[in-house]
Amino acid sequence: MNKMDFARERERSRVRRWDWVAVAVALLLFLGSAGFYLYTKRAPVEEVNVTCTLLILEAERDLWEGDDLPVRAGDLLRCQNGTVEMGEIETVTVKPHLYATVLDGTPSWEEHPHFVDVEVTVRMQAREKAGDGLRVGDLRIAAGSTGEYRFGRYLSRGEVLEVRVEV
Amino acid sequence: MTETKRKKWTAADLFLILLAVLSLVGFLVRFWGIRRHGEGDLRDYTLTVLWKSVDARTVDAIAEGDPLYTASGELFGYVISVQGQSTEVEMRQDGEVHRIASPTRLDARIGIAAKGREADGQILSTDGGALLIGQTLTLYSPTAELHVRIASIDQNAPL
C-alpha cells in the first residue's frame, strides 16, 4: 500500500469512528428518555385478596335444575380462552330470571319459564395499582365490566356486579 | 498530497441525526413542558353523566371522592355526587304505554369534577379528547368500570 492508500484508510476509519459515536449518542438519548419516562410512570403494586360476584344472565333453565349444576363451588374461574386462572368459585346461587310484562292491563315482573339468572362468587388474588385498578393476570377486574368466562367447564358471558377488596 | 474528500451524507447519517433531534425534543417536552398551553389554561368543569341499567351493587362501588381514570390510566376527574333511581322498563300493549320500575337495576346520575380547557369553541379534557354532550365514555374507578353518557357540562365559577 502506498501513502495515498494509507491516508484513505485512515480517513475511512475516522469516518466510521464518528458514525459509531453518533449511534451511541442517539441510542443513549433515546434509551435514557424512555427509561426515565417509564420510571416516573410506575406506581406501587400491591397484592390483595378480592371477592367478586359475577352474574350469568338468562342461563337456560334446563341446565340449572336439580342437584347436578354445571358450575359448582370449588370450580375454577378462567378467562375465555382458559389461559388465565382467575380464582376459585365459592358460591353458586340460581335465581329466577324476571321479565316485564303486562297482565290484564297491569305491568308486572314475572318469572321467565325458560331462563334463570345465576350469581357466582369467586375468590381471587389480584394486583392493585393506582390508576390501573385491580388485575388478575392481564385482566382488569371491575364492577360493571362484562366478558366471556369459563366457570369450570361452563362458558358464558358474565357481568361483574361487585368487587370487594379484603382489608 | 492528501485528497480532501467531501463526505456524502447518507440516509443512515440523516436517520441518526433525526433520532438524536427527536430524543432531544422529547426530553425537553417532558421536562420543560414545551406546550402551547400551560397549567394556567385549565379550568374546572362539572360533568353530569348517566350510567344506565346497572345493578344496585355495582352503583355502590362508586362513592364521592373516588378518582376516575380513562382507559389509558390518565386521571379524568373525581366523583362529587351519585344519585340512583330504579331503571324504568317501558312496554306497549294495545296502543297503551306501560312503565314499571326494575327491582334490581338502577340508572345512576353521577357528578364528576374534571379539568379541561377551551379550544376552538370546544371543551377538551386533560388528555386532549373533546368532551361533548351525548358522548359515551368508559371510565374506571378503583373497583368499577363505568360506561356512561355525558348529560351536561358546566364550567365552575373561578374562586
Side-chain angles (χ1 to χ4, degrees):
Chain A
M1 267 170 116
N2 59 25
K3 282 185 182 176
M4 198 71 107
D5 292 332
F6 275 122
R8 279 198 206 106
E9 191 53 41
R10 260 203 313 275
E11 181 66 24
R12 262 189 243 126
S13 301
R14 196 158 59 87
V15 168
R16 275 200 292 270
R17 243 197 323 267
W18 280 115
D19 279 344
W20 282 114
V21 168
V23 167
V25 168
L27 266 176
L28 270 172
L29 276 174
F30 177 74
L31 291 173
S33 302
F36 196 89
Y37 176 78
L38 290 172
Y39 178 80
T40 54
K41 271 284 187 182
R42 71 189 175 95
V45 178
E46 203 180 327
E47 292 278 338
V48 292
N49 290 322
V50 167
T51 301
C52 228
T53 304
L54 290 101
L55 172 70
I56 301 172
L57 193 64
E58 288 187 51
E60 286 187 36
R61 184 182 279 273
D62 294 342
L63 294 175
W64 294 89
E65 282 176 333
D67 296 325
D68 191 20
L69 299 180
V71 180
R72 282 170 283 194
D75 285 348
L76 291 175
L77 179 75
R78 288 189 166 96
C79 65
Q80 181 186 7
N81 60 14
T83 55
V84 178
E85 200 176 285
M86 299 179 70
E88 188 174 305
I89 292 171
E90 287 191 321
T91 65
V92 179
T93 309
V94 182
K95 295 181 174 181
H97 177 71
L98 302 177
Y99 71 102
T101 188
V102 179
L103 293 174
D104 299 326
T106 305
S108 64
W109 290 97
E110 298 294 321
E111 284 188 24
H112 202 290
H114 304 302
F115 296 110
V116 292
D117 294 337
V118 182
E119 283 189 15
V120 176
T121 61
V122 184
R123 192 171 165 73
M124 304 175 179
Q125 211 172 21
R127 291 189 322 276
E128 187 175 29
K129 186 173 159 184
D132 198 40
L134 296 161
R135 286 190 185 267
V136 176
D138 287 337
L139 300 172
R140 188 166 194 157
I141 303 298
S145 65
T146 56
E148 292 276 326
Y149 300 97
R150 291 189 190 185
F151 299 84
R153 287 177 294 176
Y154 184 81
L155 177 68
S156 175
R157 189 154 192 82
E159 178 186 345
V160 180
L161 299 182
E162 192 177 27
V163 174
R164 284 197 312 274
V165 179
E166 277 180 31
V167 177
Chain B
M1 195 164 66
T2 313
E3 281 181 21
T4 308
K5 273 192 185 171
R6 285 186 66 191
K7 186 186 185 314
K8 284 185 193 170
W9 289 103
T10 65
D13 295 326
L14 294 172
F15 173 74
L16 288 172
I17 291 166
L18 183 65
L19 195 63
V21 168
L22 286 176
S23 297
L24 189 64
V25 168
F27 185 85
L28 290 171
V29 167
R30 179 70 179 87
F31 290 102
W32 286 296
I34 300 176
R35 294 172 192 151
R36 286 200 306 140
H37 302 281
E39 281 289 324
D41 291 334
L42 288 178
R43 297 176 191 177
D44 293 319
Y45 292 93
T46 298
L47 279 72
T48 303
V49 299
L50 300 176
W51 195 16
K52 293 206 146 199
S53 192
V54 188
D55 191 272
R57 287 166 285 184
T58 305
V59 176
D60 288 341
I62 299 294
E64 288 180 26
D66 278 354
L68 294 175
Y69 300 91
T70 63
S72 59
E74 296 286 329
L75 179 66
F76 181 84
Y78 293 89
V79 177
I80 54 175
S81 65
V82 182
Q83 292 171 326
Q85 63 180 49
S86 294
T87 301
E88 267 202 342
V89 176
E90 192 175 285
M91 297 162 286
R92 287 178 182 274
Q93 193 185 61
D94 300 329
E96 265 189 60
V97 175
H98 302 273
R99 291 188 181 85
I100 188 169
S102 169
T104 55
R105 295 271 158 175
L106 300 179
D107 291 339
R109 186 174 282 266
I110 300 169
I112 302 172
K115 288 197 182 289
R117 61 172 63 94
E118 271 202 49
D120 299 327
Q122 297 205 59
I123 300 168
L124 304 179
S125 65
T126 48
D127 67 355
L131 294 174
L132 302 163
I133 294 171
Q135 180 183 9
T136 53
L137 297 171
T138 298
L139 300 172
Y140 296 88
S141 80
T143 56
E145 180 176 306
L146 295 76
H147 299 279
V148 299
R149 186 181 298 275
I150 299 177
S152 67
I153 306 171
D154 298 305
Q155 185 179 344
N156 296 350
L159 294 174

